[in-house]
């Protein structure tokens, strides 16, 4: 795709992810924390305890190790994307190359903040195994989706396991295929025409 065909939020995401690939960082967190640049974790510390250690070397996104006790309501990895406006019929996509020593399911969402926080859950989840592989999750924005509508601040959010995990994320891409290109991830239904 040429730059003129890219959705503005995809251009922004590519630059932010490129900055993460070029960085080296490490640390620990047991609550909401900034891992590096646009990368954050949101950890529920009221109904559970999450002790997260993280690191990243050049040309990777992050290695995440967590010890989880209790029943945290959320364990989230969040990549801030910036200002965006998305249309009905736009297709969101995430490509993630990674692995998990014990297996892990990551549930992608697109979070839009317009005074209040609203998440649009991707239909597809990403299921990591001990073998390093590339996974793709996509979602077509429908009229009732919370990502659709007025401009807002966008973030790519991954719901992480609520149990001990070791996850390696080697690479990450976020893309948007505009509605005008005609790509759909589902067959049309009455919901897809809702306003």
């Amino acid at each position: 795709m040429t730059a003129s065909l890219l959705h503005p939020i995809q251009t922004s995401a590519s630059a932010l992810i490129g900055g993460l690939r070029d960085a080296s960082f490490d640390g620990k967190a047991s609550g909401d924390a900034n891992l590096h640049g646009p990368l954050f974790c949101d950890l529920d510390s009221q109904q559970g305890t999450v002790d997260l250690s993280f690191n990243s070397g050049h040309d990777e996104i992050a290695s995440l190790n967590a010890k989880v006790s209790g029943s945290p309501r959320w364990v989230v990895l969040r990549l801030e994307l910036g200002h965006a406006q998305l249309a009905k019929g736009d297709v969101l996509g995430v490509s993630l190359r990674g692995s998990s020593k014990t297996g892990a399911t990551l549930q992608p969402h697109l979070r839009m903040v317009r005074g209040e926080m609203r998440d649009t859950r991707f239909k597809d989840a990403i299921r990591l195994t001990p073998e390093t592989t590339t996974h793709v999750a996509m979602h077509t924005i429908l009229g009732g989706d919370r990502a659709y509508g007025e401009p807002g601040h966008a973030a790519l959010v991954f719901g992480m396991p609520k149990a001990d995990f070791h996850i390696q994320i080697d690479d990450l891409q976020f893309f948007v295929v505009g509605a005008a290109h005609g790509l759909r991830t589902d067959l049309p239904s009455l919901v897809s025409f809702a306003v």
Side-chain angles (χ1 to χ4, degrees):
M1 287 186 167
T2 62
S4 63
L5 296 178
L6 296 180
H7 192 284
I9 195 65
Q10 181 175 337
T11 304
S12 170
S14 294
L16 293 166
I17 293 168
L20 288 173
R21 273 194 218 99
D22 291 340
S24 294
F25 55 90
D26 61 72
K28 295 183 182 297
S30 56
D32 298 350
N34 177 228
L35 279 58
H36 181 82
L39 191 63
F40 293 80
C41 66
D42 300 319
L43 309 173
D44 176 27
S45 58
Q46 293 189 5
Q47 293 190 12
T49 301
V50 183
D51 292 316
L52 178 71
S53 61
F54 56 90
N55 64 73
S56 178
H58 181 72
D59 212 25
E60 67 179 19
I61 304 301
S63 179
L64 308 165
N65 294 284
K67 294 287 185 192
V68 181
S69 60
S71 301
R73 292 165 293 176
W74 60 84
V75 179
V76 167
L77 182 68
R78 173 172 46 96
L79 177 68
E80 292 294 331
L81 299 174
H83 193 72
Q85 183 170 18
L86 296 161
K88 183 169 57 174
D90 285 352
V91 176
L92 310 176
V94 174
S95 171
L96 186 148
R97 181 169 175 77
S99 61
S100 171
K101 286 182 179 177
T102 56
T105 298
L106 311 183
Q107 180 60 60
H109 297 74
L110 186 76
R111 176 167 292 165
M112 292 293 285
V113 179
R114 306 179 188 99
E116 61 182 352
M117 193 169 60
R118 300 291 181 126
D119 287 352
T120 295
R121 179 180 172 152
F122 281 46
K123 181 179 178 182
D124 301 326
I126 294 172
R127 291 176 177 83
L128 299 176
T129 65
E131 181 182 354
T132 300
T133 51
T134 300
H135 306 267
V136 176
M138 298 172 65
H139 178 79
T140 301
I141 295 178
L142 305 176
D145 280 344
R146 295 170 171 181
Y148 166 64
E150 297 298 315
H153 183 84
L156 180 61
V157 174
F158 293 96
M160 307 292 277
K162 297 175 185 176
D164 294 0
F165 61 80
H166 171 86
I167 293 172
Q168 175 68 36
I169 303 175
D170 294 322
D171 201 8
L172 178 65
Q173 299 287 336
F174 173 74
F175 59 91
V176 178
V177 179
H181 293 284
L183 176 67
R184 297 293 180 270
T185 57
D186 295 307
L187 293 173
S189 68
L190 288 176
V191 174
S192 62
F193 296 103
V195 176

